[in-house]
Every structure is written in structure tokens, then in C-alpha cells.
Amino acid sequence: MLSTSPMGTTSDVSLPEGKIFELLANRRRRFTIHALKHAGEPMDVADLSTRITAWERGVDPETIDYDDRRNVHTVLTRTHLPKLDEHDVVEYDDEAKVVEPTPALDDLDVYIEVLRGREIPWSLYYLGLAVLAGLVQVAVAVEAPLFAALDATAAAVFVVTAFAVSAALHYYYGERARLGNLEKPPELRDQS
């Protein structure tokens, strides 16, 4: 199937889109993918489970002990890592308790759009911006009050500028929301 790169181009990924969504539907699998993409190298399952436990509890990984991470470790080794391994997203060595990113994980260029509070998704934002741009164009064309002083060129400059600024912001926030780009997973950023 296809994944979208930061510039909107696509690259081949062996997993169908539905399977990608299924794998990403579980928070611990998202955290696993994020941790491995961020590390860019094999991880010991104990370290991985410590990091995921810390993220889930919102604490520093240094404060996590064996008892704290035992449940996460067990679920990772029995369920999530074998599932990711089965789909060739990671390579999991059950005996050595090491998980390694695969080329499929590198090709899985995913960002998570996390909405908090009263935020709207980018798709609705762009729809609203397009409606606003159309209304401005019509208002200038019929010389509506407050728009009579503008010509078509000024309206076009406004529309292009609004879309360019929006696209730049969307790119910035998209990069921040990409799995593996920053220390914390996207859904945990901006939390105290």
C-alpha cells in the first residue's frame, strides 16, 4: 500500500492500509513503533517496556522499576511484538528479548493527528479556508461593502497567502506529529 511522505509523495509499503490502521489502533504498538523509529536501532525489550511504561504513567523512565513495567513487558512479548513481527514491521527475537526495526518500519511514515480540546482537524480547516476564499472572491467581484476597494489581484494575493501560511503550519505540525520524530509520542506531547 502507500504511505505519505512529508512532502505528500508516496512510497511502496508492503502492508495494506487496513492492516496499518489495525496495527496503529493499539496505543502500545504505536508507542513501540515510535520508540523504534526514534532510536533507529535494535532495542532490548526491557528498555522498550520501561520507556512505554514511563510514557503511559507520565513519569521519567529512571523511576520505573521491574514491578512497574512487568505488565507492559508481558503484553509486549506475548501479543504486540509477535504481531508486529508477523507483519514484518519489526524483527523480534523472543530468546534474546531484542526487537529491531525493519525496512518496512522505515517505510511506514505515519503521523498521528492528535486533537485536544476544541481543535479541528486539518481537513475541516482547509474546507473552511476554501469557503472563505470563495466568499472573498465573490465579495470582490460584486463589490460588496468593505470589499469594493479591493481588486481581483488583491483578493488572489490574500487567498494564496492564506493557503501558503496554512500549508507551512500544517507541515510544521505534521512533522511534530510524525511517529519517531521527537522524544515523546505525538499523543503525549504538550502534556504536563
Side-chain angles (χ1 to χ4, degrees):
M1 265 300 48
L2 299 175
S3 72
T4 303
S5 74
M7 295 305 291
T9 60
T10 57
S11 63
D12 289 332
V13 174
S14 59
L15 291 173
E17 191 174 277
K19 186 53 68 179
I20 292 170
F21 288 131
E22 178 187 327
L23 292 173
L24 293 174
N26 182 277
R27 187 177 194 185
R28 285 187 178 159
R29 285 195 294 266
R30 283 193 310 274
F31 285 0
T32 298
I33 290 168
H34 178 81
L36 287 167
K37 284 182 77 77
H38 186 71
E41 61 186 16
M43 290 185 77
D44 180 80
V45 177
D47 294 338
L48 178 63
S49 59
T50 297
R51 186 167 297 170
I52 290 172
T53 303
W55 286 335
E56 288 180 350
R57 293 181 177 202
V59 298
D60 191 285
E62 318 291 304
T63 65
I64 302 296
D65 62 21
Y66 174 78
D67 289 333
D68 292 336
R69 71 175 169 80
R70 180 179 31 206
N71 176 269
V72 172
H73 187 278
T74 301
V75 174
L76 283 178
T77 58
R78 292 187 182 167
T79 305
H80 301 305
L81 295 177
K83 185 170 188 105
L84 292 170
D85 184 68
E86 173 187 331
H87 296 290
D88 298 321
V89 174
V90 302
E91 191 172 303
Y92 171 53
D93 184 340
D94 188 34
E95 287 187 28
K97 298 293 187 224
V98 172
V99 61
E100 184 174 345
T102 66
L105 182 68
D106 292 337
D107 289 340
L108 190 61
D109 199 12
V110 178
Y111 81 91
I112 307 295
E113 186 171 323
V114 179
L115 301 177
R116 294 178 181 90
R118 300 179 147 207
E119 295 175 12
I120 63 169
W122 283 105
S123 56
L124 286 178
Y125 172 82
Y126 281 112
L127 179 62
L129 188 57
V131 168
L132 176 66
L135 291 173
V136 166
Q137 293 292 339
V138 169
V140 168
V142 299
E143 296 183 359
L146 301 175
F147 292 92
L150 297 176
D151 62 2
T153 303
V157 167
F158 165 75
V159 168
V160 168
T161 302
F163 274 97
V165 168
S166 296
L169 287 170
H170 189 176
Y171 178 78
Y172 170 76
Y173 285 110
E175 283 302 299
R176 287 183 40 84
R178 201 163 295 281
L179 289 178
N181 271 11
L182 300 175
E183 181 65 32
K184 284 185 174 181
E187 58 207 271
L188 297 180
R189 294 186 199 136
D190 302 327
Q191 293 181 0
S192 300

